[in-house]
Amino acid sequence: MRIMAIDYGDARTGIAVSDLTGLIAGETFVIAQRNAEALAQAIAAAAAEREVGTLVLGLPKNMDGTEGPRAEKARALKALLEAAGAPPVVLWDERRTTIDAHRILRENGKKEKKHKATVDAVAAALILEGYLGTL
């Protein structure tokens, strides 16, 4: 069963999909969509096309574990995904994934300004890898 991780952003949302065995991160891509309802529809369609069984949605938490406005947006997207007929959604603590994605790209010689979409996809892959590590 494939698992899809989502790094929800205002302008771009990073997506990472596991292989068929659900063991490793495979495909990554970005959906450029600002409208949350349209984004939920696009994610649900991408999940159906790839035969995804579970969605893992990054839940942004503060470093002290509390939730702020970004976490509320993620919870609202979860509700929209469920309404769109998407597979079951698991919320996943995504603290530091974007920071780590920037670091990974920097260490590999990528200029961050030219690779904003890549940062989102890498962050989604980090969410996916974290989740897969618990299975």
Side-chain angles (χ1 to χ4, degrees), residues 67-124:
E67 294 183 11
R70 297 294 313 163
E72 290 175 24
K73 284 187 168 191
R75 290 185 184 282
L77 180 62
K78 178 181 189 248
L80 290 171
L81 287 164
E82 291 166 346
V89 181
V90 175
L91 293 173
W92 185 258
D93 184 349
E94 68 162 34
R95 276 180 274 192
R96 296 194 48 84
T97 55
T98 300
I99 293 167
D100 289 343
H102 281 285
R103 179 186 47 78
I104 288 167
L105 291 172
R106 207 173 29 255
E107 288 173 357
N108 286 286
K110 303 292 183 190
K111 294 188 180 190
E112 296 174 40
K113 289 184 179 180
K114 291 184 178 180
H115 298 282
K116 289 182 181 182
T118 305
V119 169
D120 299 323
V122 171

Side-chain angles (χ1 to χ4, degrees), residues 9-81:
D10 290 329
R12 291 171 314 279
T13 296
I15 306 289
V17 184
S18 75
D19 67 338
L20 280 171
T21 64
L23 295 175
I24 60 172
E27 175 187 18
T28 61
F29 58 98
V30 172
I31 298 173
Q33 178 57 256
R34 291 183 179 273
N35 179 284
E37 289 178 12
L39 175 63
Q41 292 290 332
I43 292 170
E49 179 181 314
R50 291 162 177 81
E51 299 178 352
V52 168
T54 302
L55 299 179
V56 181
L57 175 59
L59 180 66
K61 290 187 175 184
N62 300 319
M63 291 310 288
D64 66 0
T66 60
E67 294 183 11
R70 297 294 313 163
E72 290 175 24
K73 284 187 168 191
R75 290 185 184 282
L77 180 62
K78 178 181 189 248
L80 290 171
L81 287 164

